[in-house]
Amino acid sequence: MAIDAESVVAVDEMMYRPEGVGSAYGWAPSDARAVQIDDVTKTPGIMFVAAMSTTEVLPIIMAVPQPVTITGEMFEWWVEHFLIPDMIAKGKRVLVLDNARPHRKNVLRALLAAAGLEVWFLPKYSPWFMPMEKVFLITHMRCGARMAWTRADFTRRVTDVLHGIGEAECRGCCFRVTGWD
């Protein structure tokens, strides 16, 4: 069955750790002492849940600081209160998810069906069919250019980079490469 790429929203989550993105070194002006606020080797990561269409990364990113993990209830709350209203407002009708445990809840399927949205699951072990994976890869590379050391700054930096990904990258790098276009 063919699917119109313009009606698709892809959702995925990615763990970001400060030591895995960017540099572990601080900087300061030559007349000031460099101070590193967080010890990045002991800083837990932050899980980002994000959604994208062919034109943008949707402005509804959820950041979950570790050691908290994304549960089915948390994902369901985000879908109900943020994703579904945004999809309806933008005229999207198909949600693409991978097979992560929080995505496979029957309550989630009922919520989406009640809103008139379809949900499509990718085959198991097929992350390269998920357009959002490419966006996360782009984000990892761009966050390496400059790193902030507080958790809030780090979260803001990753979110800003995600929102800075434009239509050309969403459409070209993400949807065409994965075969959705």
Side-chain angles (χ1 to χ4, degrees):
M1 182 168 150
I3 175 173
D4 175 25
E6 298 300 320
S7 66
V8 173
V9 169
V11 172
D12 205 3
E13 54 277 321
M14 175 66 77
M15 171 69 71
Y16 285 86
R17 296 185 190 283
E19 69 272 13
V21 182
S23 170
Y25 298 98
W27 65 272
S30 60
D31 60 338
R33 182 178 173 178
V35 176
Q36 184 172 324
I37 298 169
D38 287 344
D39 180 2
V40 295
T41 59
K42 296 177 183 170
T43 302
I46 299 171
M47 180 74 76
F48 287 89
V49 180
M52 68 170 290
S53 68
T54 54
T55 57
E56 67 178 334
V57 174
L58 304 180
I60 53 172
I61 295 169
M62 177 171 63
V64 181
Q66 300 300 297
V68 176
T69 186
I70 296 175
T71 62
E73 291 79 19
M74 186 183 297
F75 187 73
E76 176 187 318
W77 173 84
W78 180 77
V79 167
E80 181 179 8
H81 295 284
F82 295 96
L83 184 62
I84 290 175
D86 204 59
M87 283 182 70
I88 292 171
K90 292 180 182 347
K92 307 298 182 185
R93 63 173 188 80
V94 178
L95 177 62
V96 176
L97 298 169
D98 60 16
N99 284 284
R101 181 171 281 174
H103 301 172
R104 303 239 358 88
K105 293 185 67 178
N106 288 332
V107 169
L108 189 62
R109 293 179 197 192
L111 279 171
L112 292 163
L117 303 172
E118 295 178 51
V119 62
W120 287 30
F121 289 98
L122 294 175
K124 290 183 180 181
Y125 308 110
S126 59
W128 287 107
F129 290 134
M130 175 56 80
M132 197 68 222
E133 292 285 345
K134 285 25 160 223
V135 168
F136 286 135
L137 180 62
I138 291 168
T139 305
H140 265 285
M141 291 186 296
R142 289 190 183 159
C143 283
R146 187 182 127 260
M147 203 67 236
W149 294 109
T150 65
R151 185 178 277 194
D153 288 341
F154 178 70
T155 303
R156 193 174 308 109
R157 171 75 174 145
V158 172
T159 303
D160 289 346
V161 170
L162 279 168
H163 287 147
I165 294 175
E167 180 176 354
E169 289 172 305
C170 287
R171 188 176 300 280
C173 297
C174 304
F175 276 84
R176 286 204 183 105
V177 169
T178 56
W180 288 100
D181 214 7

